[in-house]
Each structure stands twice: as C-alpha cells, then as structure tokens.
Amino acid sequence: MVSVTRSVFGELPSGAGTVEKFQLQSDLLRVDIISWGCTITALEVKDRQGRASDVVLGFAELEGYLQKQPYFGAVIGRVANRIAKGTFMLDGKEFQLPINRGPNSLHGGLWGFDKVLWSPQVLPNGVQFSRVSPDGEEGYPGELKVWVTYTLDGGELMVNYRAQTSRTTPVSLTNHSYFNLAGQGSPNIYDHEVTIEADAFLPVNEALIPTGEVAPVQGTAFDLRQPVELGKHLQQFSIDGFDHNFCLKQSKEKHFCARVRHAASGRVLEVYTTQPGVQFYTANFLDGTLKGKGGAVYPKHCGFCLETQNWPNAVNQSNFPPVLLRPEEEYNHTTWFKFSVA
Ligand code: BGC
C-alpha cells in the first residue's frame, strides 16, 4: 500500500507560484518530492533495526533550493552533465548554449529543468510532473514536452522520464540525488561499499569533458565490478574522488547499474536503469559551506550520486550512444532505486 499526501512546500518570490510537496509512503520507504525541479527533498529508509533515517542531502525550506547549490535531488535537463564549450552542430547549424561551468554548459544551462516549477498530478502510487520547455529554451532547439513520473512500490522508487519534441534536439534526463546511506549529515561515505556494473568508463580532460576514448576499467581505479570500500579504494589509488561516466550495458531493457551497501546500518541501494551510462560523482565539489536539513553541513565526499543518463557530451561524439530526439520519436527512460537491508 502506498499513500500520497499533498501539501504546500513554499511560495516562490515575486508571486511566481506555489511549490507543492508530495509525500509518497510505503511500509518501507518515505519520499518527499517537490514541484520545483521535480526535486527529491527527503528519503527515509529503515536500517537493520528498523530505525528510519533520511538518506538524501537537501534543505528543509524552499529558500535552500533557490540559492546557489549543487542540484540536490533535482531532475536535470534538457541535457544532463557537460556539453563541451556549450556548442554543437545539428543539421548543418551551430547551436551555442549558455556557458555556466568553466568553459562548458552543465546540466541544462542557467535555468535548467531543476530551476523551474512543474505541473503536478497525483497518481495512486506516486506523482507525475509535466512541463513544456519552449523552443529555444537555454539555447536548445524545438519545443519539448516532458513528463517525469515517480512511483513507489515497497522499497523501490521508480523514476520514468518521457519527452516529445517539435524539432530535433539532444535530450538526456536524470535525477541528481546525493545519497548517504548512514543518514544525511554523516561526514563522509568512506565506509560505503560500491559496485558498478561497467566494463568501461570515459576518461576526461581537465575541463571534465570525456576525451572520446572508451577505456576498459580492467586494472584501473575504475574497476568497480566487485564491491570496493570507497575510502580505502580512493586511498589505494590516490584519487580525489569520482566524477566520471561509467558505460553500462547498451540495451533499452532494464539492466543492473550499481549497488551501494552501508555495512554498519545494513542499508543497501541498488540501481537499475534503461540508460546507457551512469555518472558516479562523490560530491568532490562540496566544501561544507551549505547548511542542510537538521543543521547538517555538507563537506566534500559526504554523499554520492548515481546519475543514470546518456554519456556526457554525446552530442559532440559520434562514437557515443545517440542523444538526439526527433519529432516522430519519444524519449522514454526509467531508473529504479531499490532499497533493502542486508
Ligand atoms: C557533475 C559534477 C558537478 C556536479 C554538481 C555532476 O553531475 O559531474 O562535475 O560538479 O554534478 O554540479
């Protein structure tokens, strides 16, 4: 049984609208999602002893989400991750997007899908958000109709993304939740055990743009096919964290992506998806300056993201999975976040 409760979360400045909160509850999970950016603001999961903790980083109030912050819990679009120099060619025409991170366009631009109010519709076991991204929004061609649907089933949260366009455009949608299975506010994720089902990853240049090479993980720090304890693993390979795309099975069927286990609490998160990639990001750019829920501070490495999506900068790399959506097609991807205890 899943219950869905609707309430007001906050008012946008200058009468720009009311942000609502949808609380989805099953006997195993409770998740709060707001209509601003389709953002997951809380996710309560029980541990081995049946004690619930909130395992996602975020803010108690709307103001937190409106400040400059690193996409906590939000849906990212029109194109997740980086497009090199914010530019691409399409049908012989060059498109220039706003540059918002170093020399690149990141996460849909200055006003991406995370920074807009979506229209909600309550479902028996979840909530569906929709919006129309106008032709030319953030420099992208075509009017894009988008639906993001969250549904809960026991310990599993499913997120489905659909989109239709009036002109050919790149589309890659994801959710940017930062998890800490010890409970948000815990200082780091070094005691988390991580497995990612990927035989290859994408090396990046100094601007975090994939070089184009699809590199085997074998014999590198990126071989996470067997569980590794994150803190020890980072030390062993002397790396400062992950911010990389792992190449998943390229099938539109549901496939296994990753498993993260927190031994002390027993909490386990398994991710399944229809997407060809996952950005594994260990919150390398957090610096403890943001004040989160319950007075939490968020230092570097205090959370991890598993952003299932197309490969970064695919619009400029012909050897990457296709990222263009054409008018006669429908974009349709699903990701499953499955929580359990072990
Ligand atoms: C990117 C990071 C970025 C973070 C937050 C991730 O998806 O890969 O480089 O810092 O999002 O903006």
Side-chain angles (χ1 to χ4, degrees):
M1 252 294 286
V2 171
S3 65
V4 184
T5 318
R6 182 173 190 165
S7 60
V8 170
F9 188 67
E11 295 294 332
L12 291 170
S14 328
T18 301
V19 176
E20 289 183 279
K21 181 174 98 176
F22 299 83
Q23 184 163 95
L24 283 41
Q25 177 141 29
S26 71
D27 47 351
L28 298 173
L29 287 190
R30 200 202 86 196
V31 53
D32 293 352
I33 309 162
I34 59 171
S35 52
W36 179 256
C38 306
T39 303
I40 296 177
T41 58
L43 208 171
E44 282 203 354
V45 187
K46 292 183 181 141
D47 68 4
R48 211 183 272 120
Q49 268 83 45
R51 287 177 306 218
S53 289
D54 184 357
V55 298
V56 291
L57 280 54
F59 305 102
E61 314 270 345
L62 179 59
E63 289 64 40
Y65 290 97
L66 302 179
Q67 70 184 323
K68 190 170 158 17
Q69 51 93 9
Y71 306 88
F72 284 161
V75 160
I76 308 295
R78 200 177 280 203
V79 175
N81 212 276
R82 290 174 176 79
I83 294 180
K85 301 194 168 67
T87 175
F88 59 91
M89 293 291 291
L90 187 59
D91 296 334
K93 199 175 160 231
E94 185 176 336
F95 288 85
Q96 179 65 58
L97 313 172
I99 301 301
N100 62 331
R101 180 69 76 89
N104 304 313
S105 168
L106 176 72
H107 293 335
L110 298 169
W111 294 98
F113 290 5
D114 59 298
K115 294 181 190 65
V116 289
L117 191 58
W118 293 65
S119 303
Q121 197 194 331
V122 171
L123 305 175
N125 55 347
V127 56
Q128 178 171 75
F129 299 100
S130 60
R131 80 177 286 262
V132 177
S133 166
D135 187 2
E137 187 178 47
E138 291 298 303
Y140 287 99
E143 180 186 273
L144 191 75
K145 295 196 176 102
V146 193
W147 297 264
V148 175
T149 309
Y150 290 93
T151 51
L152 196 56
D153 179 10
E156 188 169 79
L157 176 67
M158 179 170 104
V159 195
N160 172 255
Y161 307 85
R162 282 199 303 129
Q164 293 166 359
T165 188
S166 66
R167 283 168 65 198
T168 302
T169 179
V171 182
S172 175
L173 306 175
T174 191
N175 178 282
H176 207 307
S177 287
Y178 289 68
F179 299 97
N180 186 321
L181 299 182
Q184 72 91 25
S186 303
N188 61 61
I189 47 166
Y190 300 143
D191 58 354
H192 286 48
E193 245 173 57
V194 180
T195 314
I196 299 182
E197 184 72 9
D199 297 331
F201 77 105
L202 301 180
V204 292
N205 67 18
E206 62 292 342
L208 296 180
I209 296 292
T211 59
E213 183 197 353
V214 180
V217 296
Q218 183 73 48
T220 75
F222 299 88
D223 192 347
L224 305 178
R225 292 173 295 183
Q226 297 300 322
V228 306
E229 197 180 306
L230 200 58
K232 283 194 192 133
H233 186 79
L234 295 178
Q235 258 182 4
Q236 187 190 337
F237 286 92
S238 304
I239 50 174
D240 197 33
F242 288 96
D243 190 358
H244 293 83
N245 178 84
F246 286 74
C247 307
L248 304 174
K249 192 167 162 186
Q250 284 188 50
S251 132
K252 293 251 353 218
E253 301 301 309
K254 175 178 180 176
H255 45 265
F256 176 55
C257 164
R259 181 174 196 265
V260 183
R261 173 168 170 264
H262 180 245
S265 66
R267 290 191 189 95
V268 175
L269 166 60
E270 283 170 325
V271 180
Y272 293 81
T273 189
T274 60
Q275 293 275 14
V278 64
Q279 185 81 10
F280 179 42
Y281 173 56
T282 48
N284 310 337
F285 295 116
L286 290 186
D287 60 7
T289 52
L290 290 167
K291 298 281 170 289
K293 290 178 278 190
V297 287
Y298 296 135
K300 180 173 170 177
H301 296 166
C302 75
F304 67 91
C305 304
L306 286 165
E307 303 156 66
T308 51
Q309 59 193 26
N310 204 320
W311 303 2
N313 199 34
V315 72
N316 290 308
Q317 289 285 353
S318 53
N319 58 327
F320 287 6
V323 69
L324 296 181
L325 180 71
R326 297 192 166 73
E328 64 280 7
E329 301 167 343
E330 181 169 88
Y331 178 93
N332 192 336
H333 277 287
T334 306
T335 293
W336 293 261
F337 297 98
K338 188 177 176 193
F339 292 91
S340 57
V341 284

